[in-house]
Amino acid sequence: MGKEINTNFDFTERLANLYEKIFVEEVDALLITKIPNVTYFSGFRGDSSALLVGRNFRKLITDGRYIEQAKIEAKNFQIIEQTEGLSKKIVEELKNSGCKKIGIEGLVMTVAEHDYLAKELKGVELKSIEIDKLRQVKDAAEISCIKRACEIADSAFEKILGFLKPEVSEIEVAAELEYFMRKFGSERAAFTTIVASGWRGSLPHGIATEKKICAGELVTMDFGAVFNGYCSDMTRTICVGRASAEQKKIYDAVFSAQIYGLEVITAYKGGKDIDAAVRKILEDAGFGKNFVHGLGHGVGLEIHEEPRLSKRSKCESLLPNMIVTDEPGLYIENFGGVRIEDTVLVTQGAAQPLTLSPKTLIEL
């Protein structure tokens, strides 16, 4: 993992896309309060902050804890310090701007925040606008950072294989995975690490407990690293001991579906169609009712972001350089479960896996 990483994010293009959004939505300015979006458009990685982007101004509002950091990271923005509350300063700056129609992130703004703005900004129209989709296609630097996060997770998986054995608890496995990821360069775990052994494998989001792993059990581990703010996401299921015929049957079904997913996750296909194609593989194997979630989701500054690959996907066409997961799984109550997941890069051909750990069944 000694390769040089590209961190030259293309803020010029990002801001150009944001200004196009302002033009298309016919607003005077955008108020951006969702922190991953603040980071994406400005480069600033603190919290408790907001961006105001108008046709002739770009401002980042933050507090005294982050002023020095903001000056370093958000070079395309005027840094405004607030000392009496973020919302109050936002109102003050918007009043001074003279803007009469403001785009807000309605999907994330609380009712209380909206009501405060509406009360204080008399005569100003607040229009809900979705800007998350502007982050879907990754630039070269983003892909480079996600690849590194995937390498870190792969290295942690290789290490954990030497730790897994009967009588080790799920919590201990999760702790070791997170330790190894930090040791190999992860800023933090990308999400709460899932370790589900034996019967608990039927819980798709079975976070680690004090349950001890028993010989002959399947163990599902879902974990991810963060590098330079960007996430990875992978799942592997292994058997501690020799797998039974039934365990192998379920594993092989998921493995076949996951490999097929790499073939059908292709640019210009819709999220619903991709999910349906992979779902049919499991249905034909007799396990349709046991695949209870979508095939995948976008990965970037957030562990779950657009586009989605699911029955309810709103994505009509994947585009090259989107990054998504391919994660079919089967969950059988009182038996256990299997999930195999890669973070993958969308191309005009078959998806390119960025997590490269072995996927054939490992029996320890």
Side-chain angles (χ1 to χ4, degrees), residues 48-89:
S48 304
S49 304
L51 300 181
L52 290 177
V53 181
R55 297 174 187 270
N56 58 0
F57 62 85
R58 292 193 297 268
K59 299 179 180 181
L60 188 159
I61 303 173
T62 190
D63 60 65
R65 297 171 297 168
Y66 293 120
I67 294 299
E68 182 179 356
Q69 178 183 339
K71 288 178 180 178
I72 296 170
E73 294 177 342
K75 296 186 182 300
N76 294 309
F77 284 75
Q78 177 187 359
I79 310 303
I80 305 293
E81 182 176 4
Q82 64 88 358
T83 58
E84 299 181 50
L86 180 60
S87 294
K88 185 175 181 179
K89 194 64 174 179

Side-chain angles (χ1 to χ4, degrees), residues 177-190:
L177 276 170
E178 293 179 12
Y179 164 73
F180 285 128
M181 287 192 291
R182 290 297 293 263
K183 185 174 182 179
F184 292 132
S186 180
E187 298 170 9
R188 55 178 172 81

Side-chain angles (χ1 to χ4, degrees), residues 333-353:
E333 191 172 357
N334 298 321
F335 177 84
V338 173
R339 182 165 66 255
I340 305 171
E341 174 187 22
D342 285 322
T343 300
V344 306
L345 178 67
V346 177
T347 74
Q348 295 193 40
Q352 177 187 336

